[in-house]
Amino acid sequence: MQIKFQSISRSGYILLGSCLAGLIGIHCTSPGAATQSDPFQPYSGTVPESSIRFEMLPIPAGKATIGSPAGEKGRKPDEGPVHTVQIDAFWMGRYEVTWDEFERFVGAENVDAVTKPSPAFTDMSFGMGKAGYPAINITQHAALYYCKWLTEKTGQFYRLPTEAEWEYACRAGSSTAYYFGDDAAELADYAWYSKNSKEKYQQPGQKKPNKWGLHDMHGNVAEWTLDQYLPEFYSSAAASKPNAWAEPTKLYPHSVRGGSWDDGPADLRSAARKGSDPSWKQRDPQLPKSNWWMTDASFVGFRIVRPLKKPSPKEIKNYFKQAIQDL
């Protein structure tokens, strides 16, 4: 499998500084900060109404071959056939979204009940840790509405990645089973998974990143994408369209990627796919089930992206209107 890059490229990333950009809630890198002549740089944003920072890294536009070859160890049928996708440039979160970030949204004022999570009926971390840990047990709908809130508060369009964007960013130019190679014996240097996680998720950023600076793309928590999970999607013509997206038409299943602290090596591969399931709310005592929270998905979180080309206000509004409520 080969990935060929076109247009923008990046050879490395600069430590975040304190230069204030002319964007609401956005701080850019220094030196080499984002400028009018070159806005596509790493930057640091601030979660609204807080001092909590999040880091965004540029993912260059390019043409990628997505999926896994027939001979890859652990491969499943839904990972083929291998196909080529043109991806536009975007920024992606260096880390998974943490409870510190997500709970600012949960506790935000001046957010109506339709677009703000209902109070959780129990500790959704189930004792595994909150401060500095990834937000888990939240629905795809809740992750989307966190993005909606962040978009409205910052003036920049944030969303979940598509499956194609997620795999493209994870691979970071690689064509191997993992972004570091094919040898699962090296996973402990790059990922939290069933053999080293001590049966719980961990604080992001402790393992080695990929070549584009992204941490925990393998393991720790699996990550929501925008897509409906369709096992046969890669066989369709739509999978090879520019910026391919299997737009959801029903509640289940949605696609999660990356594997988790509870998974074995095969489920952490760059091409591995998984669909959500109603059993992820099995212990929810509410009728109807919560639109925002899960009780049995302590292995699922999310990270955000921001397209370089910002859609029109009408397109952004319509995008969030189409979110399928998790009822």
Side-chain angles (χ1 to χ4, degrees):
M1 195 184 300
Q2 294 183 345
I3 297 183
K4 299 178 181 178
F5 302 105
Q6 299 175 343
S7 69
I8 304 169
S9 63
R10 286 288 179 273
S11 59
Y13 299 99
I14 304 168
L15 292 175
L16 296 177
S18 59
C19 174
L20 179 65
L23 301 172
I24 298 175
I26 303 292
H27 294 78
C28 58
T29 59
S30 179
T35 64
Q36 290 183 344
S37 60
D38 184 14
F40 196 51
Q41 295 282 342
Y43 71 87
S44 173
T46 302
V47 176
E49 302 170 9
S50 78
S51 59
I52 300 166
R53 306 290 291 276
F54 60 93
E55 300 178 34
M56 302 294 291
L57 300 181
I59 308 300
K63 185 173 287 187
T65 302
I66 300 295
S68 64
E72 184 169 296
K73 185 177 180 180
R75 181 188 190 269
K76 296 179 181 178
D78 63 356
E79 298 168 25
V82 172
H83 58 285
T84 301
V85 183
Q86 178 67 41
I87 304 292
D88 290 344
F90 59 97
W91 286 272
M92 187 177 229
R94 182 190 291 267
Y95 309 112
E96 296 147 342
V97 173
T98 65
W99 281 115
D100 309 74
E101 296 166 68
F102 187 75
E103 288 191 329
R104 298 303 301 186
F105 167 49
V106 175
E109 298 180 358
N110 302 318
V111 180
D112 65 74
V114 176
T115 57
K116 176 182 175 179
S118 58
F121 66 89
T122 190
D123 172 17
M124 286 301 173
S125 75
F126 288 92
M128 293 195 296
K130 275 200 168 181
Y133 288 88
I136 57 166
N137 277 318
I138 61 172
T139 63
Q140 192 221 39
H141 180 82
L144 282 170
Y145 270 74
Y146 173 82
C147 295
K148 180 177 185 288
W149 174 72
L150 197 61
T151 295
E152 292 173 348
K153 290 292 186 178
T154 65
Q156 303 301 324
F157 178 46
Y158 291 98
R159 58 170 173 79
L160 298 177
T162 65
E163 270 206 270
E165 287 171 338
W166 190 97
E167 185 170 333
Y168 176 67
C170 177
R171 290 190 177 280
S174 68
S175 59
T176 47
Y178 309 97
Y179 60 68
F180 56 83
D182 288 313
D183 189 358
E186 299 180 30
L187 262 177
D189 291 335
Y190 298 88
W192 297 106
Y193 69 117
S194 59
K195 288 187 177 181
N196 68 350
S197 67
K198 298 181 180 179
E199 300 184 345
K200 65 185 292 290
Y201 61 5
Q202 303 293 328
Q203 293 182 335
Q206 299 182 68
K207 298 297 185 178
K208 295 179 181 178
N210 70 7
K211 290 182 180 179
W212 286 345
L214 303 170
H215 290 263
D216 300 298
M217 295 296 281
H218 298 312
N220 206 26
V221 294
E223 299 172 12
W224 286 115
T225 71
L226 282 177
D227 295 54
Q228 192 88 69
Y229 171 71
L230 302 174
E232 306 297 329
F233 182 62
Y234 289 3
S235 299
S236 70
S240 297
K241 290 183 177 180
N243 304 303
W245 173 31
E247 186 172 353
T249 59
K250 56 185 179 180
L251 181 55
Y252 293 105
H254 289 130
S255 180
V256 297
R257 300 297 296 263
S260 78
W261 59 268
D262 196 34
D263 290 318
D267 292 328
L268 271 65
R269 292 173 302 108
S270 299
R273 307 174 68 206
K274 187 172 187 174
S276 61
D277 189 86
S279 65
W280 294 5
K281 288 186 177 181
Q282 185 172 346
R283 289 180 290 173
D284 186 347
Q286 303 170 100
L287 290 175
K289 301 290 189 181
S290 173
N291 194 36
W292 305 96
W293 303 103
M294 292 181 159
T295 54
D296 301 85
S298 58
F299 48 87
V300 177
F302 71 106
R303 76 177 72 212
I304 59 175
V305 300
R306 174 189 160 200
L308 177 61
K309 182 180 179 182
K310 185 179 180 180
S312 69
K314 182 178 180 180
E315 289 172 327
I316 293 174
K317 184 177 181 180
N318 287 338
Y319 168 83
F320 288 116
K321 272 186 177 180
Q322 294 170 1
I324 298 174
Q325 293 211 359
D326 204 346
L327 293 173

